[in-house]
Amino acid sequence: MYLVSILFASLAITPLVLKTFFPYFWKDAFYLADLVRILLKFVLRRRRTPLFLVLDRFLEQSAAHADRPFIVFENKTYSYLDTDRRSNKIANALQRHSKLRPGDTVALFMGNEPAFIFTWLALAKLGCPVALLNHNIRSTSLLHCFNCCSAKLLIAAAELQEAVKEVLPSLRGQGVCVYLMAKHCDTPGVEGFSDQVEEASDTPLPQALRSDITFKSPAVYIYTSGTTGEGEDGGEGRGGYRRKFSASQFWDECRKYNVTVVQYIGEVLRYLCNTPKRDNDREHKVRLAIGNGVRAEIWREFLNRFGNMDVREFYASTEGNVGFINYTGKIGAIGRVNYLHRKLFPYALIKYDTERDEPIRGSSGLCVEAPKGETGLLVSKITDIAPFVGYAKNSQQTEKKRLRDVFQKGDLYFNSGDLLKIDQDNFIYFQDRVGDTFRWKGENVATTEVADILTLIDFVQEANVYGVQVPGNEGRIGMAAVTVKGGEQFDGNKTFSHVASYLPAYARPRFIRIQNAVQVTGTFKQMKVRLVEEGFDPASITDPLYILQERKQSYTPMTGQIYSSIVAGTIKL
């Protein structure tokens, strides 16, 4: 009887002990169980023959839930069956009217619309990889992205006809076929494709078209940095419900369509928090928001205002081989150290010299792991389970992301380019990006690309591009420190015209700082850290400063009054 009493007492006190000393025990345990379940499902699907890929999952769901809504867009609903049939029509039209063969890459140049999904599925059914071009890019940037994937066909939305015309001579010179999703097109070299789609059969495509596909075959080309980043948001089990994000209409549309899950980037939640407060702010069915890039204070404000829904902040990159998800809901964190996860995907934070822009190595020549509580560069071991495929047609950038001799001679790790921190409770926090990329308006901006474009201006000698923080905004906005050629002067009008022609709005440097010489490190790398810290305050910078003025279509002198208005939030960037 005494032992029974002790047993019951132990059982009764165990939850209290766990809550006091191991507050995340159950959430860790459930995450571990989910991780094991996902791994088992992954292994089983890998063993299926024929191969079970993303398209097969869609076809499986389409057969099981034919009439269930798949996409809700601008007051129109497309079921799984509608989507399957529509993609069949596009695939059959391509098979009949183009010279496309399985394995040929097709570039897709569209905004957020159902045709984007339909066409992607159609190409998958034909066994063709698809390159997803950002619909914001133009001119040189568009050509660069197109050339990276060696596409034989470009399919563009009707509203992007003018952007296509800009690069058409180059495309025709390469023998590229161009289809426009319109009934008619009077531009020589561009074919209207909508009529062919409407006339095509919606019969399924034979699986034999995909018989040569392996797990290592290219499926999608995604542009992960520079002027080509992409950001989307949508609802649970279906595609997004509008062409462009609208903060003022967001919650009304969530109510209208009974949305239960939303996807965000950091800017989205800030935009929602900046809208005028309403009495019905908490009246909705959204139970989960998942995404990345939200600051802790915005996260907290979002929950306080719109209700205590689950927020799942995650960390990942398209080309990376490791990711985290904050399954506990700890505000500000991107994830949590988990024993099994770390065994399967070995990663570490290593000490990093931000001024020299390189990892710190000890006397042995190996990297030094950053202790808990200290910021370090995230690196992840490249293994069969966690591979790093690299970048298409860019072996130099691929090699740049490979870090060798990290903890022992001969080992190989993926260099994430991100600085993280692990606290004493094993929560992981994003700190900053390093090197050649920063993020603004939900888009990645590659400093080297922008610098190359700036140096094409006839009076610019050198350009050092970096991102600076703006109070009340997510990410960093673009700024450039430039030197002017001898005997020349900075021309704000010409500079604006140049960057507007070559760069999308989010990638254009908002501020330009004129220097006598670009500062470099002892190893002749451009110094960015000090420039980033100094920011764009004219009161603390003696160099001439200019700000991009959209209305004046020029770069004009930066003043203290303008700076104060930006900091106060009365001037929106």
Side-chain angles (χ1 to χ4, degrees):
M1 187 67 182
Y2 177 73
L3 291 175
V4 173
S5 299
I6 292 177
L7 178 61
F8 276 107
S10 299
L11 290 173
I13 201 173
T14 295
L16 180 61
V17 171
L18 289 176
K19 187 175 182 180
T20 303
F21 297 101
F22 306 98
Y24 302 102
F25 175 83
W26 289 114
K27 289 186 176 181
D28 286 340
F30 286 131
Y31 174 75
L32 190 63
D34 284 341
L35 193 60
V36 171
R37 178 181 56 81
I38 291 169
L39 284 170
L40 287 174
K41 185 180 288 188
F42 174 76
V43 170
L44 290 173
R45 284 181 174 171
R46 290 274 291 194
R47 292 179 177 177
R48 287 175 65 168
T49 51
L51 299 181
F52 189 84
L53 304 171
V54 173
L55 173 62
D56 300 293
R57 176 61 174 166
F58 167 78
L59 295 174
E60 184 180 78
Q61 290 293 96
S62 183
H65 310 291
D67 296 323
R68 181 178 292 179
F70 181 68
I71 298 174
V72 178
F73 185 81
E74 295 182 348
N75 296 316
K76 190 168 183 180
T77 299
Y78 301 87
S79 67
Y80 277 86
L81 183 60
D82 294 334
T83 303
D84 187 27
R85 287 176 173 172
R86 188 67 183 176
S87 61
N88 285 343
K89 289 174 75 70
I90 295 174
N92 282 314
L94 286 170
Q95 198 173 36
R96 180 177 180 181
H97 296 284
S98 74
K99 297 179 180 179
L100 211 56
R101 296 290 179 267
D104 291 345
T105 300
V106 177
L108 191 54
F109 192 36
M110 290 184 182
N112 188 42
E113 57 180 296
F116 182 99
I117 302 295
F118 302 155
T119 310
W120 183 5
L121 288 170
L123 293 168
K125 291 176 178 182
L126 292 172
C128 294
V130 58
L132 308 178
L133 302 179
N134 188 331
H135 66 278
N136 291 308
I137 59 177
R138 297 291 185 272
S139 188
T140 305
S141 296
L142 177 56
L143 269 181
H144 167 73
C145 295
F146 185 88
N147 292 334
C148 283
C149 63
S150 301
K152 297 186 176 180
L153 172 66
L154 172 66
I155 302 177
E159 65 271 16
L160 295 173
Q161 182 175 353
E162 290 303 313
V164 172
K165 286 171 68 174
E166 288 182 25
V167 298
L168 191 57
S170 295
L171 296 179
R172 295 186 69 177
Q174 299 174 46
V176 175
C177 186
V178 181
Y179 286 168
L180 195 71
M181 280 296 189
K183 290 187 176 181
H184 307 286
C185 182
D186 54 8
T187 301
V190 180
E191 298 181 39
F193 189 55
S194 293
D195 280 347
Q196 286 93 323
V197 172
E198 294 303 325
E199 294 168 1
S201 166
D202 63 3
T203 54
L205 282 295
Q207 201 277 335
L209 290 170
R210 312 191 301 276
S211 60
D212 291 335
I213 292 177
T214 70
F215 282 116
K216 293 187 177 181
S217 299
V220 181
Y221 291 93
I222 300 178
Y223 300 86
T224 63
S225 65
T227 55
T228 53
E230 291 198 318
E232 301 284 342
D233 57 270
E236 182 179 38
R238 60 193 71 170
Y241 41 85
R242 79 168 20 243
R243 193 173 298 272
K244 288 186 177 181
F245 172 75
S246 169
S248 62
Q249 298 297 314
F250 183 84
W251 291 112
D252 288 336
E253 291 180 332
C254 284
R255 296 180 192 101
K256 180 178 179 179
Y257 298 114
N258 294 316
V259 172
T260 55
V261 177
V262 296
Q263 184 180 346
Y264 67 86
I265 55 175
E267 286 290 305
V268 166
L269 300 194
R270 184 173 68 83
Y271 293 153
L272 294 176
C273 289
N274 285 343
T275 57
K277 290 186 178 181
R278 298 181 183 177
D279 294 336
N280 63 345
D281 275 345
R282 287 173 168 253
E283 295 174 10
H284 56 79
K285 295 183 179 179
V286 176
R287 60 177 178 80
L288 174 65
I290 184 168
N292 62 2
V294 62
R295 298 201 316 268
E297 59 268 28
I298 298 296
W299 185 336
R300 196 173 288 110
E301 182 183 352
F302 178 80
L303 293 179
N304 288 338
R305 178 173 169 185
F306 298 108
N308 194 26
M309 68 195 84
D310 290 329
V311 175
R312 293 291 179 261
E313 175 84 356
F314 69 86
Y315 168 89
S317 62
T318 304
E319 76 275 38
N321 63 345
V322 69
F324 310 105
I325 186 164
N326 182 352
Y327 53 86
T328 67
K330 173 84 169 180
I331 291 179
I334 59 170
R336 181 168 163 81
V337 177
N338 182 281
Y339 177 80
L340 178 61
H341 181 262
R342 201 165 191 172
K343 282 293 182 183
L344 290 169
F345 308 96
Y347 65 88
L349 304 187
I350 59 174
K351 291 187 175 184
Y352 192 82
D353 186 331
T354 54
E355 195 62 69
R356 297 175 65 89
D357 197 20
E358 61 186 26
I360 295 173
R361 293 183 181 269
S363 57
S364 63
L366 302 177
C367 296
V368 181
E369 188 163 6
K372 280 188 177 181
E374 186 177 307
T375 297
L377 174 71
L378 173 67
V379 295
S380 179
K381 194 169 188 178
I382 298 174
T383 65
D384 290 337
I385 296 178
F388 168 57
V389 178
Y391 302 103
K393 282 192 169 184
N394 201 327
S395 57
Q396 184 178 358
Q397 285 297 321
T398 297
E399 187 57 32
K400 194 174 179 180
K401 282 290 188 177
R402 290 178 174 141
L403 193 58
R404 304 176 188 277
D405 302 334
V406 177
F407 294 119
Q408 61 184 37
K409 296 292 183 182
D411 63 12
L412 185 61
Y413 279 69
F414 171 74
N415 178 353
S416 71
D418 291 326
L419 298 175
L420 309 183
K421 181 172 69 175
I422 299 174
D423 69 10
Q424 298 301 322
D425 294 323
N426 282 328
F427 284 102
I428 308 170
Y429 298 85
F430 179 85
Q431 300 298 108
D432 206 350
R433 295 188 69 87
V434 301
D436 301 328
T437 309
F438 61 89
R439 195 164 177 82
W440 178 248
K441 297 295 185 185
E443 305 278 5
N444 289 331
V445 180
T447 59
T448 51
E449 287 185 27
V450 178
D452 287 344
I453 286 171
L454 285 176
T455 54
L456 294 175
I457 303 173
D458 55 12
F459 56 80
V460 174
Q461 180 71 41
E462 290 182 279
N464 186 2
V465 177
Y466 49 97
V468 292
Q469 290 183 323
V470 179
N473 288 265
E474 305 288 342
R476 297 175 183 271
I477 197 168
M479 185 167 179
V482 304
T483 59
V484 177
K485 293 177 180 177
E488 300 280 357
Q489 287 195 347
F490 178 78
D491 186 327
N493 294 334
K494 184 179 286 188
T495 303
F496 177 89
S497 177
H498 182 80
V499 299
S501 298
Y502 286 93
L503 294 169
Y506 59 82
R508 299 167 193 166
R510 179 66 63 164
F511 307 105
I512 290 182
R513 175 177 179 172
I514 308 299
Q515 293 187 304
N516 293 325
V518 170
Q519 297 174 313
V520 295
T521 66
T523 53
F524 300 102
K525 293 181 179 178
Q526 290 183 338
M527 294 175 67
K528 298 179 187 284
V529 176
R530 191 177 306 152
L531 293 170
V532 169
E533 291 173 349
E534 291 174 352
F536 57 96
D537 182 0
S540 59
I541 297 172
T542 57
D543 295 328
L545 281 177
Y546 294 85
I547 180 172
L548 184 152
Q549 299 273 26
E550 294 282 357
R551 290 183 180 178
K552 296 181 180 179
Q553 296 194 345
S554 181
Y555 281 88
T556 63
M558 178 73 176
T559 65
Q561 183 179 355
I562 294 175
Y563 176 80
S564 298
S565 297
I566 292 172
V567 172
T570 53
I571 292 181
K572 305 294 184 183
L573 299 179

